[in-house]
Amino acid sequence: MNPLVNPGIGLIFWFSIAIIILIVLLKKFAWKPILKAIHQRNNAIDKAMSAAVDARAEVDKMKAKNEQIIQQAKLEKEAILKEAKLTSEKIVAASKDKATEEANRILAEAQKRITQERLAAVQDMKSQVAEHAVDIAEKILKDSMQKPAVQDQYLSSLMNDIELN
Amino acid sequence: MDGVGLIYVGIGLVVIGVGLGIGRIGGQAMDAIARQPEASGKIQSAMLIAAGLIEGVGLFAIALGGFIK
Amino acid sequence: MHSKYIISFIICLLMFTAVFAEKHTDNEATEGKEFQPVDMIMSHITDSNEWHLWTTTDEEGHEHHVSIPLPIIIWDGEFKAFLSSKIAHGHTHRGYTMVDGVLTATDGTDKATIVDLFSGLEGKYVDLSITKNTTAMFISILLLLLIFITMAKSYKKNKLKPRGIAAFLEPIVVFIREEVAIPNIGENKTDKYLPYLLTVFFFIWFNNLLGLLPTFPGGANVTGNIAVTLVLALCTMVIVNLNGNKHYWKEIFTPDVPILMYPIMIPVEIIGIFTKPFALMIRLFANITAGHIIVLSLIGMIFIFKSAFVSVGAIPMTLFVLLLELLVAALQAYIFTVLSALFIGLAVKEHH
């Protein structure tokens, strides 16, 4: 038989012992820790992945919430602005009315006062004119009376009047 | 021709058969991969196993030739 | 980048081989000694009792072999142990000598082989020597322990990311688990058999690769030695048959065929128990040995034609075959592991 396919006992003996020792040693000191480490890491990665997915969902949720809040704030802002505008318009309108009223009132008062003043002035003028007329008449009378002819005439006229009566 | 020579002829015949067989497996596997490239990993390992099993037959013949001689 | 360096390194190495080859040829031509390719190849792929490193020839034409002596342990009625250097160079010690590096009894008794274990050890001596292959096997085992215990320890430091050797080997470990063990054995029983499958895969792969190295600490044909593949296949067979469940034994003794077929089917099934591991044994042995024979034949061409010019063709061919062998080294380890997983799976898988 060819020595290639008819092995001696030596190598079989040594190798049988060696392979069993090798399997036992590698199983205890290599494969168990290695497979355990790989398993643990896979678990850790899975956990981290699911955590990441959860976090992502959370972030999305928060984002949606924020969006909602922003939308709401926008609406609120618009409403407030609208109201403010309305209020200011109202105020402006009101103040305008008041001012017009005030002005009208002032105007009316002024007119009234002017009329009064005018009336007073006219009255004053009238009385002054009368006074002046009296004065003038007095002066004229004084002047004319100083002359005896005039006095006589006057007296005669007066006499005439009395006579007539 | 003596007996030993005939053994070698027999081994040669077996090897021809094995060669044809493995060739067929390889060819069919190529076809299968061309049809389904996404399954190429599975096809390859199945191909290797089948080829290994057939190859065993050829190696049997060669080794038995050694045993008989 | 790296592959470029590796390839140029291999080419340099092969060029050196060619230079040495030429020197050798010259020497042998002057000596007029005929080169025997079969002897050369056989001495490379079989076991020996010393680890031959190189041979030099001095001016007078005497050859000096430089070898690592290995311990010889013999039991032939009494226990004998000595170093192989005592019987080297044709010396005789306690009834033994070495012929071409292999232990031989001077009185012509035969070494007991595996066959003699069954037919009786009468008139044979039992050789338990630490041979070249045994030493290479021990070296590879130390290497495996060193690498994988280092890898296991590195996980304590790097919990999140594999670093160093672990980064390289972890995908392979995971591949064996996910692609080899689980599909064949099933998820819940994988953990029990995975250590065996991983050990066998890496043992075969490392030894295939070490066998491709030209010299010490590789160069021994460990996985191409039928004793080694025999033990590996026996391991698979023992695991399969010790763990075989009810369904596995039912398939063998009461297969699903008509009763009349039983006299044929049962022997076939029983033979099948042995042929499956036998095929495992032969496949690995023949593949690796064949690879070594091809490489040695191509290198041997240079010596056969006694011309350095042959190396122009032989060296690229050798390079090609060596690269192919790198693939085969991994492929055969893979196939052995897959088939072991398949056989184990057939025996232990739950059937519904």
Side-chain angles (χ1 to χ4, degrees):
Chain A
M1 219 147 103
N2 194 319
L4 267 181
V5 288
N6 193 15
I9 295 165
L11 186 52
I12 296 177
F13 172 75
W14 289 116
F15 183 55
S16 308
I17 296 171
I19 190 77
I20 289 167
I21 292 171
L22 179 70
I23 292 171
V24 170
L25 286 183
L26 279 184
K27 184 179 176 176
K28 190 156 183 229
F29 294 110
W31 306 133
K32 265 198 183 147
I34 289 171
L35 292 170
K36 207 175 130 194
I38 293 174
H39 190 68
Q40 275 175 351
R41 201 178 54 216
N42 282 356
N43 279 353
I45 289 171
D46 281 351
K47 226 184 250 171
M49 286 281 269
S50 61
V53 167
D54 284 354
R56 185 74 183 272
E58 193 84 352
V59 166
D60 282 350
K61 227 160 99 185
M62 293 262 275
K63 242 187 192 166
K65 214 172 167 184
N66 281 357
E67 203 98 315
Q68 211 184 337
I69 288 170
I70 288 169
Q71 200 65 33
Q72 215 171 342
K74 240 183 196 169
L75 284 176
E76 229 160 277
K77 185 187 84 181
E78 261 166 39
I80 287 169
L81 272 177
K82 224 172 169 182
E83 207 173 323
K85 216 173 168 187
L86 225 84
T87 316
S88 69
E89 266 169 22
K90 231 190 235 169
I91 288 169
V92 168
S95 58
K96 231 185 199 167
D97 283 357
K98 213 175 169 185
T100 322
E101 208 178 294
E102 182 77 16
N104 286 348
R105 194 180 59 80
I106 290 169
L107 218 70
E109 206 158 303
Q111 250 163 1
K112 212 166 122 190
R113 224 145 113 211
I114 288 168
T115 325
Q116 260 176 14
E117 295 284 310
R118 211 181 56 198
L119 280 176
V122 168
Q123 207 71 38
D124 204 30
M125 236 155 70
K126 264 184 188 167
S127 60
Q128 270 184 17
V129 167
E131 237 171 88
H132 279 299
V134 171
D135 280 352
I136 293 167
E138 203 182 84
K139 268 177 191 167
I140 295 169
L141 273 179
K142 260 179 191 168
D143 279 346
S144 41
M145 284 310 167
Q146 273 167 346
K147 290 169 196 167
V150 173
Q151 276 175 4
D152 291 342
Q153 201 183 350
Y154 185 65
L155 272 171
S156 59
S157 74
L158 273 175
M159 292 299 259
N160 282 347
D161 278 346
I162 296 167
E163 277 173 20
L164 281 168
N165 285 344
Chain B
M1 197 186 265
D2 59 355
V4 178
L6 273 178
I7 290 171
Y8 291 131
V9 172
I11 293 171
L13 286 173
V14 173
V15 170
I16 289 173
V18 168
L20 288 174
I22 292 182
R24 221 175 125 67
I25 289 173
Q28 300 281 29
M30 292 294 156
D31 277 358
I33 290 172
R35 215 169 290 141
Q36 279 177 294
E38 69 279 358
S40 61
K42 273 185 179 173
I43 294 168
Q44 262 167 8
S45 59
M47 175 190 82
L48 285 178
I49 293 169
L53 287 169
I54 292 189
E55 186 195 48
V57 176
L59 298 173
F60 258 24
I62 296 167
L64 282 176
F67 279 124
I68 293 164
K69 195 178 87 177
Chain C
M1 268 318 268
H2 282 290
S3 59
K4 257 188 209 164
Y5 288 130
I6 290 164
I7 288 170
S8 37
F9 175 72
I10 291 170
I11 289 172
C12 284
L13 215 65
L14 290 170
M15 290 303 169
F16 272 117
T17 323
V19 170
F20 282 124
E22 193 175 14
K23 202 175 143 200
H24 261 270
T25 318
D26 285 344
N27 287 340
E28 277 168 28
T30 49
E31 277 167 39
K33 210 165 74 181
E34 204 56 44
F35 172 68
Q36 295 291 332
V38 176
D39 290 348
M40 184 272 281
I41 290 171
M42 284 302 278
S43 75
H44 270 92
I45 60 175
T46 52
D47 215 349
S48 72
N49 288 83
E50 57 178 10
W51 202 317
H52 183 247
L53 295 179
W54 63 80
T55 303
T56 54
T57 314
D58 59 22
E59 292 84 7
E60 290 154 40
H62 295 296
E63 284 186 347
H64 295 282
H65 298 279
V66 181
S67 311
I68 300 170
L70 297 169
I72 284 176
I73 303 159
I74 302 166
W75 195 83
D76 57 349
E78 58 173 321
F79 182 74
K80 292 172 181 171
F82 46 87
L83 271 183
S84 71
S85 51
K86 279 198 173 154
I87 54 171
H89 313 299
H91 294 296
T92 307
H93 184 77
R94 299 175 80 176
Y96 292 94
T97 187
M98 255 191 324
V99 178
D100 293 330
V102 178
L103 181 74
T104 319
T106 43
D107 57 0
T109 48
D110 286 329
K111 194 188 286 182
T113 62
I114 182 84
V115 179
D116 300 315
L117 277 183
F118 302 103
S119 59
L121 295 169
E122 296 298 304
K124 314 248 170 148
Y125 66 91
V126 176
D127 175 17
L128 294 180
S129 306
I130 309 290
T131 57
K132 181 182 167 187
N133 279 349
T134 318
T135 319
M137 176 209 50
F138 282 136
I139 289 171
S140 70
I141 282 177
L142 287 179
L143 196 65
L144 280 166
L145 287 173
L146 186 74
I147 287 175
F148 286 103
I149 292 175
T150 314
M151 179 180 167
K153 278 188 181 152
S154 81
Y155 280 103
K156 281 186 189 138
K157 270 188 270 167
N158 310 308
K159 281 214 162 68
L160 280 178
K161 196 177 161 202
R163 280 187 202 285
I165 194 82
F168 173 62
L169 289 170
E170 194 197 293
I172 304 172
V173 173
V174 173
F175 172 78
I176 297 289
R177 189 182 130 83
E178 312 260 301
E179 303 293 326
V180 174
I182 290 177
N184 286 312
I185 302 176
E187 185 98 45
N188 45 0
K189 291 205 169 163
T190 288
D191 287 344
K192 189 176 169 191
Y193 304 103
L194 194 58
Y196 171 69
L197 295 175
L198 285 168
T199 309
V200 162
F201 177 81
F202 284 107
F203 179 82
I204 296 173
W205 191 36
F206 275 47
N207 275 297
N208 286 349
L209 291 177
L210 285 172
L212 291 177
L213 290 178
T215 184
F216 184 85
N221 189 15
V222 178
T223 39
N225 188 303
I226 203 160
V228 171
T229 60
L230 173 78
V231 174
L232 287 172
L234 269 178
C235 286
T236 299
M237 191 175 115
V238 166
I239 287 174
V240 166
N241 289 294
L242 281 186
N243 295 294
N245 57 16
K246 231 185 268 169
H247 186 267
Y248 171 73
W249 292 111
K250 189 188 150 284
E251 283 280 289
I252 291 171
F253 290 111
T254 54
D256 202 11
V257 291
I259 303 276
L260 276 176
M261 293 285 282
Y262 275 21
I264 305 164
M265 284 311 290
I266 291 174
V268 165
E269 292 281 355
I270 290 172
I271 291 168
I273 296 175
F274 299 100
T275 52
K276 282 173 192 165
F278 187 75
L280 281 181
M281 167 181 94
I282 297 292
R283 177 178 304 110
L284 183 57
F285 154 73
N287 261 296
I288 304 306
T289 304
H292 284 235
I293 290 175
I294 294 168
V295 170
L296 292 166
S297 309
L298 286 169
I299 295 287
M301 297 279 237
I302 301 165
F303 302 101
I304 292 167
F305 291 107
K306 290 184 180 154
S307 159
F309 292 108
V310 179
S311 60
V312 175
I315 297 302
M317 282 292 284
T318 313
L319 178 63
F320 170 71
V321 173
L322 275 173
L323 290 176
L324 200 68
E325 284 302 303
L326 282 179
L327 173 71
V328 169
L331 190 66
Q332 287 307 318
Y334 169 69
I335 285 183
F336 195 101
T337 317
V338 167
L339 290 178
S340 291
L342 189 74
F343 297 152
I344 293 172
L346 285 177
V348 303
K349 228 179 189 174
E350 301 292 338
H351 294 265
H352 303 288

